[in-house]
């Protein structure tokens, strides 16, 4: 580590940098260039992001604060200082969030999409909603009174609840009642009408309007919605776990008991009844005042994702983009095609179908002997899982690493693990102490009395749903060394074999960090010799201290460094004597930027890699990650053109300033607008049309079996 750059003032705080990222998401909700219903979805994403931030990051800091752990972060802040800055920033963002919501609902109303208050409905609509309440809602509700015989109920994480202050006719004593707003009923209740418009009322509003019926022997003095966010980070002792699957199942049950880290409560101004309700809730969940957010409006905007997906109104949504399908040349199959040439796949611009088809084909092909695959996050109805189970049932050797510790997908992955095991797959759960985050697929096939290995390695999960809106890339190859490296990786995962003699795949935590630091230093040495030196890196987050200080040293040596970092960035760019040769930009747009690309000029012998890992301590030291070298010249050129588009983006890109804020580049007169994601749609479509034409004129004979 370069100690001369190792000072707290040279780094941004991780949590505040993440909040800046979520602000960029909120900016997209406010961006008038985005279609109106897409802006609504961005507001929902902002809310979901903030929920997870409190459940994991704020919760972690609170645990340290309560235990009087006074260690400082990369920017020199202790947990207490970080929490103070976080809450200050979050309160500002929430004000912006509600201002944005009010503007969006006003604009939606002009387009004949409206969420009404129950009390403002016409008599006909009220009659419909009242009937709906009696038929669909009332039977599901469980109103609860809190008294000496009935204790305060366990409130599940992130559930929306309604608190009511009640009193009986024969007593002046106040009673606290609570109802969970049922998640099994759609929160947006559509009101039928004969006009060309869409009207909704919120479920909690309907329930509140019927509280006198629910608590029929009481007078309802006051009611309000409230929501509790809990610590949802799992603490699993893998070393002492005899059965990791069983241990994870038990840990998931404990998640509901996590400490409260945030209370959101509806408030239209303090009054004695509100304060009484608030005191009761606070006493029960034991939360500090600073983590209480009094909201003058609707709580929990995650329902807006469904509002943004309302049927019709296509003019208020993104134009449908058809993903390009990678064509297989006439008279060959996928294995024959991969054997001829490496295939580059770029999602969502190119369909995920080719990956699914590869697994399906492998499952059916009598010449395929084995399939090995890592799974981190998969979809709820995964065709990959179906193909793997079919392969096992056909007697093929199927090995699947299912990462049980994929945060918030643990329960889903436990279900898949059990299904795969039942089908006869060999299911493994990774290496003790490490999350397995790499994305790799290996198919072993017998061809003419020889064994041939086919590999897919990439940057994204084997998830056919997220592949439609996450930007990721992968390469399918039959390269012999890649196949050997992939076999070594799986042997390491299943049998703790040493990952030696790897040539084309680098594995974290075994050599990942060293390779990056050596390549950065190599660029610095070339710059010192007066040679051209350049680094371009695209990732989700940059917060590793050692890598950052290496980049500072390279900048001072004269290396040109371009960083495309979607989310957290602890590096401070553009500071004289530290980082004046470093530029950082972030792209937040229609698709979630998720691909990781690392480019090094290397004195003209360019090296290009794609990876599953970011420049974060956890990716470099605490996870199994892969980075594969891109050697095919055509694929190299395509990825370089993609990087060039990101660096030229003047529509969605925002530039990180040395004070931690982000600034959109101002267009000069007559400057061409470049929106990377839009450009890549056209770029990829044209590439595949050209290949389709080429294939139609070329005869390729299938590979021998």
């Amino acid at each position: 580590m370069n100690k001369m750059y190792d000072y707290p003032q040279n780094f941004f705080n991780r949590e505040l940098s993440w909040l800046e990222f979520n602000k960029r998401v909120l900016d997209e909700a406010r961006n008038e260039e985005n279609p109106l219903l897409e802006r609504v979805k961005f507001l929902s994403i902002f809310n979901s992001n903030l929920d997870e931030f409190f459940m994991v990051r704020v919760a972690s800091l609170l645990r340290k604060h309560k235990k009087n752990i006074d260690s400082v972060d990369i920017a020199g802040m202790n947990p207490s200082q970080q929490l103070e800055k976080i809450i200050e920033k979050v309160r500002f963002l929430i004000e912006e969030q509600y201002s944005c919501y009010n503007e969006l609902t006003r604009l939606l109303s002009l387009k004949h999409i409206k969420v009404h208050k129950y009390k403002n409905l016409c008599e006909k609509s009220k009659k419909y909603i009242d009937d709906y309440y009696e038929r669909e809602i009332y039977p599901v509700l469980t109103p609860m009174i809190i008294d000496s015989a009935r204790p305060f109920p366990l409130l599940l994480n992130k559930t929306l609840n309604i608190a009511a202050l009640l009193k009986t006719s024969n007593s002046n004593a106040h009673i606290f009642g609570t109802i969970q707003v049922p998640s099994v009923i759609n929160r947006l209740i559509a009101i039928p009408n004969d006009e060309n418009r869409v009207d909704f009322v919120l479920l909690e509003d309907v329930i509140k309007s019927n509280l006198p019926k629910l608590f029929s022997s009481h007078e309802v003095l006051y009611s309000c919605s409230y929501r509790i966010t809990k610590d949802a980070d799992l603490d699993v002792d893998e070393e002492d776990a005899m059965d990791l699957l069983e241990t994870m199942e038990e840990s998931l049950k404990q998640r509901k008991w996590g400490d409260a880290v945030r209370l959101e409560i509806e408030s239209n101004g303090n009054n004695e009844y509100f304060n009484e309700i608030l005191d009761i809730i606070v006493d029960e969940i034991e939360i500090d005042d600073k983590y209480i957010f009094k909201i003058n409006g609707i709580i929990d905007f995650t329902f807006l994702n469904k509002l943004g997906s309302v049927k019709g109104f296509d003019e208020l949504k993104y134009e449908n983009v058809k993903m390009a399908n990678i064509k297989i040349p006439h008279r060959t199959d996928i294995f024959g095609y991969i054997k001829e040439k490496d295939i580059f796949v770029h999602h969502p611009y190119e369909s995920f179908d080719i990956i699914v088809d590869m697994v399906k084909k492998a499952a059916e092909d009598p010449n395929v002997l084995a399939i090995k695959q890592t799974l981190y996050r998969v979809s709820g109805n995964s065709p990959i899982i179906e193909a793997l189970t079919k392969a096992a049932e056909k007697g093929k050797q199927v090995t699947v690493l299912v990462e049980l510790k994929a945060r918030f997908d643990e329960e889903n992955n436990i279900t898949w693990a059990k299904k795969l095991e039942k089908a006869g797959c060999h299911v493994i759960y990774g290496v003790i102490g490490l999350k397995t985050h790499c994305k790799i697929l290996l198919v072993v096939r017998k061809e003419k009395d020889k064994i041939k290995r086919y590999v897919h390695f990439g940057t994204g999960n084997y998830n056919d749903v997220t592949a439609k809106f996450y930007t990721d890339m992968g390469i399918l190859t039959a390269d012999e060394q890649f196949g050997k490296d992939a076999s070594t990786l799986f042997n390491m995962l299943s049998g703790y074999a040493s990952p030696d003699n790897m040539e084309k795949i680098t594995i974290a935590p075994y050599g990942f960090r060293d390779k990056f630091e050596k390549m950065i230093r190599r660029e610095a040495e070339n710059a010192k010799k007066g040679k051209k030196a350049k680094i371009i890196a695209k990732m989700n987050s940059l917060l590793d201290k050692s890598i950052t200080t290496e980049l500072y040293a390279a900048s001072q040596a004269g290396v040109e460094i371009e960083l495309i970092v979607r989310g957290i960035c602890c590096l401070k760019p553009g500071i004289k004597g530290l980082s004046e040769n470093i530029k950082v930009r972030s792209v937040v747009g229609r698709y979630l930027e998720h691909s990781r690309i690392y480019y090094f000029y290397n004195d003209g012998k360019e090296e290009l890699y794609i990876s599953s890992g970011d420049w974060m301590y956890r990716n470099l030291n605490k996870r199994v990650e892969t980075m594969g070298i891109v050697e095919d010249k055509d694929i190299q050129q395509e990825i370089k053109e993609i990087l060039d588009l990101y660096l030229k983006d003047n529509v969605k890109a925002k530039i990180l300033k040395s004070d931690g804020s982000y600034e959109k580049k101002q267009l000069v007169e007559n400057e061409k607008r470049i929106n990377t994601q839009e450009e890549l749609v056209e770029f990829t479509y044209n590439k595949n049309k050209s290949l389709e034409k080429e294939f139609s004129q070329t005869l390729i004979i299938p590979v021998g079996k």
Side-chain angles (χ1 to χ4, degrees), residues 274-318:
F274 169 80
N275 290 331
E276 192 172 341
I277 282 178
L278 180 60
D279 287 343
I280 292 168
I281 297 172
V282 169
D283 284 347
E284 183 60 36
I285 66 174
E286 299 179 340
I287 193 166
D288 191 279
D289 284 353
K290 69 173 69 170
Y291 306 107
I292 299 171
F293 294 85
K294 299 173 185 177
I295 307 295
N296 183 13
I298 294 167
I299 290 175
D300 181 13
F301 284 147
T302 53
F303 77 91
L304 290 174
N305 191 49
K306 287 189 176 178
L307 183 62
S309 302
V310 65
K311 290 183 179 179
F313 301 94
D314 291 347
E315 72 281 3
L316 304 181
K317 301 175 183 177
Y318 286 131

Side-chain angles (χ1 to χ4, degrees), residues 439-440 457-459 475 477 482 485 503-507 512 515-516 596-598 607-613 625-631 639:
K439 330 292 182 183
I440 192 161
F457 69 96
T459 69
I475 293 174
T477 181
F482 261 112
D485 287 359
E503 293 182 18
K504 298 193 177 182
I505 298 176
T506 307
I507 305 176
F512 212 57
K515 188 171 184 69
F516 277 127
R596 289 89 163 186
I597 310 167
Y598 301 101
E607 287 188 7
L608 187 63
Y609 301 84
I610 63 172
S611 177
S612 61
E625 304 278 9
T626 52
M627 176 173 68
I629 190 166
V630 180
E631 294 182 311
I639 294 176

Side-chain angles (χ1 to χ4, degrees), residues 371-386:
I371 305 170
K372 303 184 181 188
Q373 188 167 15
T374 60
L375 296 178
Y376 191 74
R377 299 187 198 277
V378 293
S379 64
N381 189 25
S382 172
I384 296 279
I385 298 284
E386 290 301 318

Side-chain angles (χ1 to χ4, degrees), residues 54-66:
F54 269 89
M55 288 189 290
V56 179
R57 300 306 309 168
V58 173
S60 174
L61 288 169
L62 272 169
R63 285 198 303 272
K64 290 178 180 178
H65 177 64
K66 288 174 182 177

